[in-house]
Amino acid sequence: MHNKAERLKKVNPRIVEVDSEIAHRVPPGQTVTERFPILHEGEVPHYSMADWSLSIFGEAENKGSWTFDQLLELPQTKVVCDIHCVTRWSKLDTEWEGVRFSELLARLDVSPEARYVMVRADQDYETNLPIEDLLRDDVILAHRYDGAPLSDKHGGPLRLIVPHLYFWKSAKWITGLEFMKEDRPGFWERNGFHNYADPFREQRFSGENLDIPEDEWLKKEFD
Ligand SMILES: Nc1nc2c(c(=O)[nH]1)N[C@H]1C(S)=C(S)[C@@H](COP(=O)(O)O)O[C@H]1N2
Ligand SMILES: [Mo]
């Protein structure tokens, strides 16, 4: 671990060696960075807020859509959490603000038979999660990061934050929530990644390990 951090530090001076008291917060195989990598499929979308909405599909009585202002009228929550990307970077103590998924769910009258959600997002991105996981207190639809409106690159105007799973489950640029009785794999889940994605159990892949070099994320864009 020490050697790996030393090696990566030569490439990127802002890799952090964590104190032993907080080492338990870093999942196996992860390196902590102070920077904020920017990772996604496709181009960064730009929206006109007058046209933007979040749509509800599937097993819910209250289908239809929510404007940004309607979401802002719901109770707002701040979450400070660690995030872990499957490409092996983690970032500690990130601060987000938005609406708890549970607050929105309470207003949707979802069928008791619905147990999964497909989170739909731009650009042609989707990811699946059990509703049970989304009901945790620290799962939010975030529109602010680090005290400022969420930037386009990091998923603005609205992204999901699911701290306890690998960060690909935290879809940026969300456009809809589909409530489902049966589970169905999302974009990365169809492409070799684990269906559930617990970083502390290193649930990176569903079958054969995919060969992701440990420093691949260092070649991407950062804030
Ligand atoms: N819409 C969308 N959301 C996405 C992705 C994507 O490709 N498209 N990539 C995921 C992955 S793999 C990661 S690590 C995080 C990266 O978020 P960040 O760019 O804010 O660090 O977004 C996740 N959400
Ligand atoms: Mo990722």
Side-chain angles (χ1 to χ4, degrees):
M1 187 63 205
H2 182 76
N3 282 343
K4 182 176 149 193
E6 284 302 312
R7 209 160 61 240
L8 292 176
K9 260 190 194 167
K10 293 201 179 99
V11 197
N12 183 326
R14 290 179 67 186
I15 283 185
V16 186
E17 253 177 279
V18 297
D19 292 341
S20 52
E21 310 90 79
I22 57 168
H24 66 276
R25 284 166 55 185
V26 184
Q30 297 294 111
T31 305
V32 174
T33 178
E34 280 178 355
R35 300 186 70 184
F36 199 169
I38 299 163
L39 277 84
H40 50 255
E41 300 298 301
E43 298 292 310
V44 174
H46 300 279
Y47 302 91
S48 135
M49 290 316 286
D51 301 332
W52 186 93
S53 67
L54 179 72
S55 303
I56 309 299
F57 306 94
E59 308 290 326
E61 286 301 318
N62 300 331
K63 291 203 245 310
S65 52
W66 291 71
T67 66
F68 197 68
D69 286 344
Q70 287 173 322
L71 293 171
L72 291 184
E73 282 163 20
L74 301 182
Q76 305 291 309
T77 302
K78 264 189 199 156
V79 168
V80 177
C81 64
D82 304 338
I83 55 181
H84 312 291
C85 172
V86 70
T87 65
R88 298 182 182 277
W89 59 268
S90 292
K91 184 169 169 62
L92 305 183
D93 295 317
T94 60
E95 190 190 310
W96 306 88
E97 193 177 340
V99 179
R100 276 200 181 113
F101 181 89
S102 62
E103 286 286 353
L104 182 59
L105 189 79
R107 291 157 174 86
L108 296 179
D109 204 359
V110 166
S111 159
E113 285 176 59
R115 292 182 46 226
Y116 301 92
V117 175
M118 185 66 81
V119 180
R120 299 193 192 171
D122 284 327
Q123 312 276 14
D124 275 333
Y125 191 81
E126 58 180 16
T127 188
N128 57 311
L129 299 110
I131 292 184
E132 194 186 338
D133 285 77
L134 294 171
L135 289 177
R136 296 193 183 202
D137 276 354
D138 59 355
V139 171
I140 62 171
L141 309 175
H143 54 80
R144 291 177 71 79
Y145 169 73
D146 209 13
L150 185 56
S151 66
D152 294 344
K153 285 176 181 174
H154 285 296
L158 196 70
R159 81 176 294 168
L160 184 66
I161 292 295
V162 186
H164 68 288
L165 299 176
Y166 279 125
F167 208 35
W168 86 76
K169 296 282 186 182
S170 294
K172 309 202 277 194
W173 313 305
I174 60 176
T175 56
L177 302 172
E178 178 187 351
F179 291 88
M180 317 188 291
K181 290 182 189 169
E182 307 287 339
D183 197 11
R184 199 172 80 225
F187 173 75
W188 282 121
E189 295 83 1
R190 291 191 295 274
N191 284 282
F193 286 82
H194 198 277
N195 195 54
Y196 183 65
D198 178 349
F200 286 92
R201 287 187 278 165
E202 277 210 85
Q203 293 177 334
R204 299 174 192 274
F205 311 113
S206 51
E208 296 269 293
N209 285 0
L210 304 176
D211 188 25
I212 305 175
E214 67 181 26
D215 62 347
E216 175 156 289
W217 56 275
L218 291 167
K219 298 170 196 149
K220 307 275 180 178
E221 209 186 323
F222 293 83
D223 270 354

